[in-house]
Amino acid sequence: MKKTTNKVVLIGAGAVGTSFLYSAMNQGIAQEFGIIDINKEGAIGNELDLEDSFSTIDPSINNVKAGGYELVSDADVLVITAGRPQKPGETRIDMVKDNAIIMKNIALEVVKNGFKGVTIIASNPVDIMTSVYQEVTGYEATKVISSGTSLDTARLLIELSKRLNIEPKSIQAYVLGEHGDSSVSTFAHAKIGGVDAQSFFEAAGIDEAKQAEIHEVVWKKAYEIINRKRATFYGIGASLANITRAILNDQNTIIAVGAKLTGQYGLEGIYFGTPCVINSKGIAKILEYPVSDNEKKALDDSSMAIKAAVKTALEAIN
């Protein structure tokens, strides 16, 4: 029988996962949703709570169901947010070993239950966990996507928007590399409305020192949120919904996700935040955003941090 509805399954129904579900459902991204969580009672509770919203949001949504890994067999998109959360004062890299073991077990169950769609991973440290999942599953790299620097890029655009008094969607700039402390905010080739942003920066007094200050605000924002309210979830939930929508609607949208590089930036074989064309196939094209010499050096440093963490993760699961 021909499949007539889109189905999205979430693994890990914590604050990030449920924020994603609520965002996706309110946007009418899919008709069916599945919830898998180690806390089965909590997953059922989320099913019951979320179904109460059907009458006030998109009427095309007809099903949300908590269950086991059998839910992935006919899913189009799988979103994984499972893992232990980041603690105050802890970097994402500190979580590598614990979450690598969790991710390996998830990957084995996903394969066993016949999933054939596109996977998006947001479990931290995200590019390392995506590497683990892709390694264990053996799935095509283009169909395994890290949420990468999608959230970081949103934070950069918001911060620039505040200082330039320009709406974020009119600014073209990206955060590249690790979703974490070694991320790289790009300014040298930024554009506003398609025009070189440097004149806008000069008018607003955003020199190199100010750019460094903006980048610090961007990469430290997660720590500020965690210190104030213990976790970040709305922003990443919205970012995951955006990526999912691009896949299900076959949009060919350019989003800064984590992709397994094939020579971009002189790097290969690691998941790394960079703009990509996203459609129903997953990552249709990896783009290499132009960077300055200083930005390239910072990206090389970021790649070394990722490579070291991937080595630690793979050692933990073998």
Side-chain angles (χ1 to χ4, degrees):
M1 182 183 291
K2 186 177 184 296
K3 199 169 188 293
T4 58
T5 59
N6 287 325
K7 180 178 178 182
V8 175
V9 173
L10 169 72
I11 299 178
V16 170
T18 51
S19 294
F20 155 69
L21 276 183
Y22 193 62
S23 182
M25 288 174 67
N26 271 281
Q27 295 176 55
I29 285 173
Q31 289 73 51
E32 295 184 54
F33 293 88
I35 306 171
I36 302 170
D37 195 87
I38 193 168
N39 178 357
K40 293 181 171 55
E41 288 300 312
I44 294 169
N46 278 308
E47 172 194 321
L48 297 173
D49 196 9
L50 287 165
E51 75 177 12
D52 284 347
S53 64
F54 285 2
S55 64
T56 58
I57 58 177
D58 194 309
S60 68
I61 298 172
N62 58 44
N63 188 23
V64 57
K65 180 71 176 173
Y69 281 92
E70 72 282 352
L71 291 174
V72 309
S73 63
D74 62 344
D76 299 287
V77 176
L78 177 60
V79 176
I80 303 176
T81 63
R84 73 166 179 82
Q86 189 174 353
K87 300 171 185 175
E90 182 180 49
T91 70
R92 294 177 184 90
I93 297 296
D94 291 335
M95 307 159 67
V96 167
K97 291 184 179 179
D98 290 349
N99 281 348
I101 293 167
I102 293 170
M103 188 57 68
K104 177 184 178 179
N105 293 333
I106 289 170
L108 292 172
E109 289 293 333
V110 167
V111 171
K112 188 167 76 175
N113 284 273
F115 177 66
K116 292 180 171 49
V118 177
T119 305
I120 308 167
I121 295 175
S123 307
N124 274 320
V126 69
D127 292 306
I128 291 85
M129 292 306 103
T130 306
S131 296
V132 169
Y133 177 91
Q134 198 260 331
E135 175 87 12
V136 174
T137 60
Y139 290 156
E140 206 175 328
T142 55
K143 296 181 76 173
V144 177
I145 306 172
S146 156
S147 59
T149 51
S150 57
L151 177 57
D152 312 69
T153 294
R155 288 170 174 160
L156 174 60
L157 298 184
I158 289 164
E159 193 60 29
L160 286 172
S161 173
K162 291 176 182 176
R163 296 177 188 235
L164 297 171
N165 196 28
I166 300 284
E167 65 148 0
K169 287 183 179 179
S170 295
I171 305 170
Q172 294 85 48
Y174 293 96
V175 177
L176 308 178
E178 180 202 356
H179 169 57
D181 298 359
S182 72
S183 65
V184 181
S185 294
T186 60
F187 297 94
H189 295 278
K191 295 187 183 301
I192 295 175
V195 177
D196 189 330
Q198 298 311 311
S199 60
F200 289 86
F201 291 162
E202 289 171 14
I206 300 176
D207 56 12
E208 286 190 9
K210 285 290 182 184
Q211 289 172 14
E213 178 186 295
I214 289 169
H215 174 62
E216 186 170 0
V217 170
V218 169
W219 77 261
K220 284 186 174 179
K221 192 169 186 180
Y223 295 112
E224 180 177 0
I225 295 168
I226 289 166
N227 288 336
R228 291 177 183 274
K229 55 173 274 190
R230 303 187 66 183
T232 70
F233 38 89
Y234 295 129
I236 186 60
S239 292
L240 290 169
N242 187 42
I243 300 166
T244 303
R245 182 175 59 247
I247 295 166
L248 293 179
N249 293 347
D250 197 24
Q251 287 179 183
N252 290 307
T253 303
I254 296 174
I255 305 173
V257 297
K260 194 168 188 179
L261 299 185
T262 58
Q264 296 81 7
Y265 310 102
L267 303 169
E268 193 168 359
I270 61 167
Y271 274 89
F272 202 73
T274 189
C276 293
V277 179
I278 307 295
N279 63 20
S280 60
K281 296 176 182 177
I283 296 174
K285 186 176 180 60
I286 302 171
L287 306 179
E288 182 173 348
Y289 189 72
V291 293
S292 67
D293 289 344
N294 287 340
E295 290 167 349
K296 176 62 169 67
K297 182 181 183 306
L299 286 178
D300 289 341
D301 293 342
S302 186
S303 74
M304 295 302 291
I306 293 172
K307 286 176 181 176
V310 169
K311 184 173 183 290
T312 298
L314 294 179
E315 286 172 352
I317 65 169
N318 291 322

